[in-house]
Amino acid sequence: MKKSLALVVFFLVAYNMSTYANGISIQKVSISDTNRTAKTASIKFNISWDNSWRDSINWDAAWIFVKYREPKDSIWKYRHLTMSPAGNDPGTGTASMKFSFPADNKGVFYYRQSIGSGNIKMDSIKLTWNYGADGVTMIDSIELKVFATEMVYVPTGSFCIGDGNGTSRSSYSFQLKNAPNNYVTITDKWSPLVNTFVNINSTGSDDAILYNNGIRISGLDGIDINGDKITDYQDFPTGYRSFYCMKYEVSQGQYADFLNTLTLRDSSNMYNYADTTKMKKVNAKYKNALQSLDPYFTYTPIDFQRHTIQFDSVEVKYTVTRPDRAFAVNNSNYYLSFSDWAALRPMSELEYEKACRGPLPPTYKTYPQNYNYSNSDTTSSWSGFDWAWGNDTTLASMRDIGMGNANSILQYSGIENGTEKFSNFNIYKRYINPIYSSNNTGNRTFSGGDGGDGPYRVGIFANDTSSRISSGASYYGIMDFSKNIVQLVISLGGTTNRTMSYKKHGDGILNAQGGADQTEFFFQGNNSPGLMVSYVYKQRAISERQNMGSNLTSFRSVRSAPSDN
């Protein structure tokens, strides 16, 4: 009897195709051109997404990667497919497209070949799989999952960190050590000494080297920690080199997809699911490994209405009712695990500031005393902090956007189904953020939609007519950096952190506990018996740095650009 080929297709960022969600979709996956002697085959599919562009500065792209499962796997045990850079076909459709393969071939970037904009719809794309190199002997009955997520290319070049204007600066931001409250320009040469204004070492984010002594940063040579202009950490992602950044923070749909494709072998963690008939057939240690990465079991969501990932113990899989909503947790292990699984890596805080501001200088201006401003609602003298959407000279005064008045309320347009927006969004509500906690503090209130307190749909502020400022887009067209949930990034402070390398990315395979391999992104030597990584979260203003603590954060992953970009 001839065996059939099972094909399962998934996509990331948005499940509902819409103008607002810019949803990316993979359709009609098949395997063709099988060469059983050479053990190669083509993975054929169609792809589409909305509002694509390429201009003279940069472009958006799809990061495409594939997981596969062999019939011999008794449980869901997805393996990461290794692609071949030869014999591929970019397909036909609305634009001339091209591939760019990284050296490890764990995925591929797919983007416009020339300047243009509009919706992408491409058919008959083919990616070559050397399945023999992945240890597969028989391709019959292989099960595939093809993933794609929107990325944005950030080109090589100089940029600034910190936002000090000589008088004031954002919380814990970088500054020139010998000229406090001044920002720093990062080039391909050694910078002056850089430090932070306040020592937050007690909370685990920075070390004494960064605060007391200061460090030097070279875009190409890395980090110097003793002031002699000789490299101590050559490969730290300084942001100067080109990289791709996820266009949106990770969504709940993406994370549910991740949970449903874990490659796990053994574990002894956390809680127990109720043993339904089907769950009793699932390996107990596998169940525990799933639970270690399931936010429903590792913490109690602040508001169940906003956290929609649930485990179906009857079908033994994860479901999500609001896949386009940003994912928010207080466990940094999720960040490393997801990045490893998707063959990406975490973002450094230097890359964050570059991705937000581009090559432009900071535009920080001091708020009036105590944030109270009683003059006109829109005035160029009240531009405030340095936001990811640029030099906004029309921010309303705090009395118009603070809590407890009509201007602090965002009204949902309707059901939160992937097309919702805020029907009353205006300049008075520009920096309302769903930064939520157990005591429901913050400067935002929502009305309509599902109700509840927490993150909203990724890209919710962008539409066909929105500007960079109104959509909240960064200089390079990356969304939601200063809006929606706060962003988790890798701190520059700390010895382990500085061993992070722009050359090291996830391999798509997790360890026995469902986490990133300990040496996947950071060096672990004799003096580092445990992987102690410190993080900061970025809240609204680009250069503002806060310790992660117990705050609920989101994240997005990056990848260094291939050499042919």
Side-chain angles (χ1 to χ4, degrees):
M1 181 176 69
K2 183 178 180 180
K3 294 182 179 179
S4 62
L5 180 68
L7 298 168
V8 180
V9 186
F10 278 64
F11 55 95
L12 303 181
V13 174
Y15 283 68
N16 301 290
M17 290 298 295
S18 71
T19 299
Y20 305 114
N22 286 352
I24 192 166
S25 176
I26 301 285
Q27 311 94 14
K28 296 184 177 180
V29 175
S30 63
I31 287 185
S32 63
D33 308 323
T34 301
N35 185 327
R36 297 182 186 276
T37 301
K39 290 185 170 50
T40 62
S42 292
I43 300 172
K44 185 179 179 181
F45 57 93
N46 301 341
I47 191 170
S48 61
W49 74 91
D50 293 345
N51 300 329
S52 167
W53 87 92
R54 177 168 185 154
D55 57 28
S56 59
I57 298 174
N58 71 322
W59 56 83
D60 73 337
W63 170 245
I64 302 169
F65 59 98
V66 184
K67 304 284 183 176
Y68 68 95
R69 179 194 180 202
E70 296 186 81
K72 65 184 180 182
D73 293 328
S74 59
I75 58 175
W76 289 110
K77 190 176 181 180
Y78 275 91
R79 309 172 191 276
H80 196 94
L81 182 148
T82 304
M83 297 177 182
S84 172
N88 300 291
D89 187 339
T92 59
T94 56
S96 176
M97 306 292 286
K98 66 177 295 185
F99 296 119
S100 180
F101 287 86
D104 60 8
N105 295 319
K106 295 299 181 180
V108 63
F109 292 104
Y110 182 67
Y111 54 93
R112 289 174 177 270
Q113 193 163 264
S114 57
I115 291 175
S117 63
N119 296 344
I120 291 292
K121 189 178 185 304
M122 302 297 295
D123 297 335
S124 301
I125 300 159
K126 289 184 179 181
L127 292 173
T128 301
W129 178 24
N130 186 344
Y131 63 85
D134 279 334
V136 176
T137 57
M138 294 293 293
I139 200 170
D140 296 323
S141 298
I142 284 286
E143 189 169 0
L144 299 176
K145 289 191 178 184
V146 180
F147 295 85
T149 186
E150 288 181 83
M151 308 285 283
V152 174
Y153 176 70
V154 178
T156 296
S158 301
F159 65 102
C160 300
I161 59 173
D163 57 8
N165 62 2
T167 302
S168 301
R169 54 24 228 144
S170 294
S171 301
Y172 310 120
S173 63
F174 295 118
Q175 63 175 6
L176 287 171
K177 183 179 186 302
N178 297 321
N181 294 321
N182 281 283
Y183 65 84
V184 183
T185 301
I186 304 301
T187 70
D188 59 350
K189 305 294 190 298
W190 286 112
S191 72
L193 288 173
V194 177
N195 76 333
T196 54
F197 185 81
V198 177
N199 186 358
I200 54 176
N201 181 52
S202 60
T203 60
S205 286
D206 293 335
D207 59 10
I209 292 175
L210 178 59
Y211 169 66
N212 292 323
N213 303 331
I215 64 176
R216 296 183 191 274
I217 304 169
S218 165
L220 293 180
D221 294 326
I223 307 299
D224 163 29
I225 64 170
N226 55 14
D228 59 5
K229 297 185 180 180
I230 298 175
T231 302
D232 296 304
Y233 297 92
Q234 183 173 5
D235 295 333
F236 185 83
T238 61
Y240 183 84
R241 292 180 176 87
S242 60
F243 61 95
Y244 282 89
C245 175
M246 290 179 66
K247 187 175 183 180
Y248 309 99
E249 59 263 87
V250 169
S251 70
Q252 294 184 27
Q254 285 178 289
Y255 199 81
D257 282 350
F258 159 57
L259 290 173
N260 281 326
T261 58
L262 293 180
T263 301
L264 300 171
R265 299 176 296 280
D266 192 15
S267 181
S268 56
N269 291 320
M270 299 296 179
Y271 309 90
N272 292 312
Y273 289 105
D275 276 331
T276 63
T277 300
K278 286 192 176 183
M279 284 296 289
K280 288 179 180 178
K281 298 179 181 179
V282 177
N283 180 280
K285 292 182 177 180
Y286 175 69
K287 285 191 294 184
N288 289 335
L290 284 175
Q291 288 156 190
S292 71
L293 289 169
D294 180 351
Y296 183 86
F297 284 88
T298 55
Y299 81 96
T300 302
I302 297 300
D303 194 318
F304 287 90
Q305 290 173 284
R306 309 306 297 175
H307 175 82
T308 68
I309 300 173
Q310 300 293 332
F311 187 78
D312 185 333
S313 61
V314 175
E315 296 297 327
V316 194
K317 69 177 182 180
Y318 288 86
T319 63
V320 58
T321 56
R322 294 292 182 253
D324 302 304
R325 186 175 295 165
F327 180 63
V329 294
N330 62 351
N331 188 330
S332 59
N333 289 333
Y334 298 165
Y335 187 10
L336 299 183
S337 296
F338 182 90
S339 298
D340 189 357
W341 170 82
L344 299 171
R345 63 169 172 81
M347 179 192 301
S348 75
E349 57 179 322
L350 301 183
E351 290 174 315
Y352 178 95
E353 297 209 24
K354 165 80 171 288
C356 287
R357 196 182 286 120
L360 302 179
T363 57
Y364 181 93
K365 292 183 181 179
T366 306
Y367 278 114
Q369 186 176 6
N370 298 323
Y371 287 12
N372 294 319
Y373 192 69
S374 58
N375 294 333
S376 60
D377 289 339
T378 57
T379 172
S380 59
S381 67
W382 203 83
S383 62
F385 286 124
D386 189 30
W387 308 96
W389 56 77
N391 190 8
D392 186 352
T393 60
T394 58
L395 280 171
S397 63
M398 184 60 71
R399 66 183 175 86
D400 289 314
I401 56 179
M403 290 188 68
N405 62 63
N407 281 322
S408 70
I409 299 173
L410 285 172
Q411 175 70 50
Y412 279 103
S413 60
I415 298 172
E416 293 184 60
N417 61 359
T419 65
E420 73 275 7
K421 58 182 179 180
F422 292 121
S423 57
N424 66 338
F425 180 69
N426 56 36
I427 63 172
Y428 304 114
K429 301 174 175 63
R430 195 154 289 161
Y431 59 41
I432 294 177
N433 255 22
I435 304 167
Y436 59 107
S437 61
S438 57
N439 61 0
N440 198 36
T441 60
N443 69 338
R444 73 285 163 274
T445 305
F446 302 125
S447 177
D450 295 340
D453 177 36
Y456 33 75
R457 174 174 66 81
V458 299
I460 196 171
F461 297 101
N463 57 46
D464 289 338
T465 61
S466 57
S467 65
R468 175 185 169 188
I469 289 178
S470 64
S471 68
S474 78
Y475 177 87
Y476 293 112
I478 305 169
M479 308 302 296
D480 301 337
F481 267 137
S482 289
K483 294 184 177 181
N484 215 336
I485 203 69
V486 297
Q487 308 282 300
L488 192 64
V489 293
I490 303 298
S491 169
L492 182 59
T495 301
T496 300
N497 287 34
R498 289 189 287 265
T499 66
M500 182 181 175
S501 172
Y502 73 92
K503 299 176 181 178
K504 296 175 70 173
H505 302 90
D507 60 3
I509 303 171
L510 303 182
N511 66 20
Q513 287 73 42
D517 298 333
Q518 287 192 328
T519 57
E520 200 78 79
F521 306 120
F522 304 92
F523 173 75
Q524 191 169 5
N526 295 331
N527 296 324
S528 182
L531 187 60
M532 302 300 293
V533 181
S534 58
Y535 301 82
V536 294
Y537 72 80
K538 293 289 192 170
Q539 176 182 330
R540 298 176 292 192
I542 295 171
S543 296
E544 186 175 29
R545 306 169 67 247
Q546 301 284 348
N547 177 254
M548 176 186 170
S550 60
N551 292 281
L552 298 182
T553 59
S554 187
F555 55 83
R556 66 185 85 202
S557 303
V558 300
R559 198 178 230 278
S560 300
S563 59
D564 60 351
N565 284 148

